[in-house]
Amino acid sequence: MLISWNIRGLNKAGKQREICSHLNDLRPGIFILIETRVKHQKAIKIRDNMRLYKCFLDNYQHHDNGRIWICWNSTNYKIQMVKSSSQFIHYRVESIDGKMCFEMIVVYAMNTIEQRKLLWKAIATLPRTNRPWCVVGDFNNVLKSNERIGGRMVVAQEFQDLQDMMDLCGLSEMDNTGDYYTWHNKQVNDPIYTRIDRVVGNSLWFQVIDMHLRHLPPSVSNHVILQLTNQPRMRPQKNHFKFINCVIEFDGFQELVAESWATPIAGNPPCILWKKLKRLMRPLRNLSRPLNDVKRTIVATRKEMNALQQDIGNDPMNKELLLKVKDKTVEILHWNEIEEKVLRNDGTEITANDEIEQVLQHFGDLMGNEDRTLNQIDIRVMREGPQLSTAQRQLLMQPISDKEIFEALHDIGDAKAPGLDGTLVTLLPKKASAKDLKDYRHIACCTVVYKIYSKVLTTRMASIIGSITSHNQAAFIPGKQIHSHILLATELIKGYTRKQGTPRCLFQLDLQKAYDMLNWKALETILLELNIPEIFVHWIMQGVSTVSYRFSINGSNSKLMQAKKRC
């Protein structure tokens, strides 16, 4: 767990005691104290008095008042400084168990727009990383006109530079629970509330780092405590966003999508696509809100029609009532058609936390563990087998064309559009009386972007796969049928009931699916030894090794689980 807190001074003993009390209650593995106002020569004494963690970073070399302190528990985390200034500290975090690695920039922005411009420019020019990263702290800056109540009016010049930096870096703000406004001047007359403390992260931060942001009460400070924790939040069950096809028939759908998509976003093409799709989720969720409880809507409409029909019995010639009944009839038929289109699954609900953990543990053993016991691939045997020709290699290495992307997109079924945050795994029972986890089949619902990516690569592989596979391999090979092996097996077991003849036996093996247990290093080595071009192998491995999973349990999604089938 991590907390960030602007404490507005730490020189008084009473303030130190109160801060220590909160830290002891929260027990964060990493905590950030901002605006300490402690001179360098007093820092060590105050840290000792407060019994803080012995591992710490600060920015005294850039400012006399030690504007930022970062302390951490060295038994859980390793932290390495990357860069610092008077307004920020950039550092790298790695958990001791190796399960978490990310970069974080802690900011305490200056009071003037010109000084903050230098901060946003410095962050925007930092070297890009392929790790999850975020910016946390006191931005001293609003992001929207509604983020201040009282005081002077918010103008666009205040937040434009911050917004430009976030767009350039592909950063989005984390949602939070708790108070919306993070700072209060604590004045009875002319009170001011504003939102200036926040956490913003890149796309990998939201996909890989499974943390929740909570705003805790400010206590003796004017600023709320920003608490990042991977503990589940106690909140009502929230359904995962799903796009339902019948929404395209709703009034305003085309205009809503066109308006949202036309608004420009800065960044590289994948980031722009991801952010535009993410931005569409909220308006589409609002548009499809009537679908949340179709059954209840039908019952309510039916009651209204029954009441109208009773009124007609008393006044059969009333044209207004007749028109209302006609409209209600059309409305009931309309909602019944929608209910028919909405897929509803009936399943056994898992309620106990230990049962949910058992689900994650079971499938985590399949897809989320590293394999360090693999023997090396026999290179000599691989090189004696079939390999790709130069022409086939050239075919695989061609730049991806717009035509390939378009064909892959149109090859995806209309109902294949789950959310954006990694692969969603749904458990479907193999039989009516499913009790154990092995009785459930896990179905992975990939994102549309991932489906396009994989279909383009699969289509290219289909053109050459027949030349590097054995003749007895029939499954998933263009031009061959797995039914041929079924017929062959039928012929082979003929005569097994005869008493005469040579002794024989038949084994039925319970083979788990290849993609559940396949070692990534073995896959990469085999592909390279088949003379597949390195760039194409890299594309495949990117699609394999960057996958993260969420399990859909009782309609809610579990925490993210990163796939790790590698050595």
Side-chain angles (χ1 to χ4, degrees), residues 24 48-49 92 135 139 210 229 253 310 328 338 374-376 395 401 428 470 516 522 528:
N24 289 333
D48 289 342
N49 290 342
R92 184 175 299 116
V135 185
F139 286 61
D210 189 37
T229 175
F253 171 78
Q310 289 176 4
K328 288 296 177 183
I338 289 178
L374 178 73
N375 294 325
Q376 292 185 350
L395 176 65
S401 66
L428 299 179
S470 302
D516 291 345
L528 291 172

Side-chain angles (χ1 to χ4, degrees), residues 127-146:
R128 292 293 183 265
T129 177
N130 58 359
R131 296 186 180 91
W133 67 284
C134 73
V135 185
V136 60
D138 182 355
F139 286 61
N140 232 325
N141 218 133
V142 297
L143 260 178
K144 301 172 186 175
S145 57
N146 66 340

Side-chain angles (χ1 to χ4, degrees), residues 27-28 41 59 72 102 178 221 270 281 334 362 386 416 433 440 543 554:
R27 297 185 179 277
Q41 59 269 26
N59 60 343
W72 68 93
F102 60 87
S221 176
M281 289 173 62
H334 169 70
H362 174 79
K416 306 293 185 180
S433 58
Y440 288 84
N554 303 336

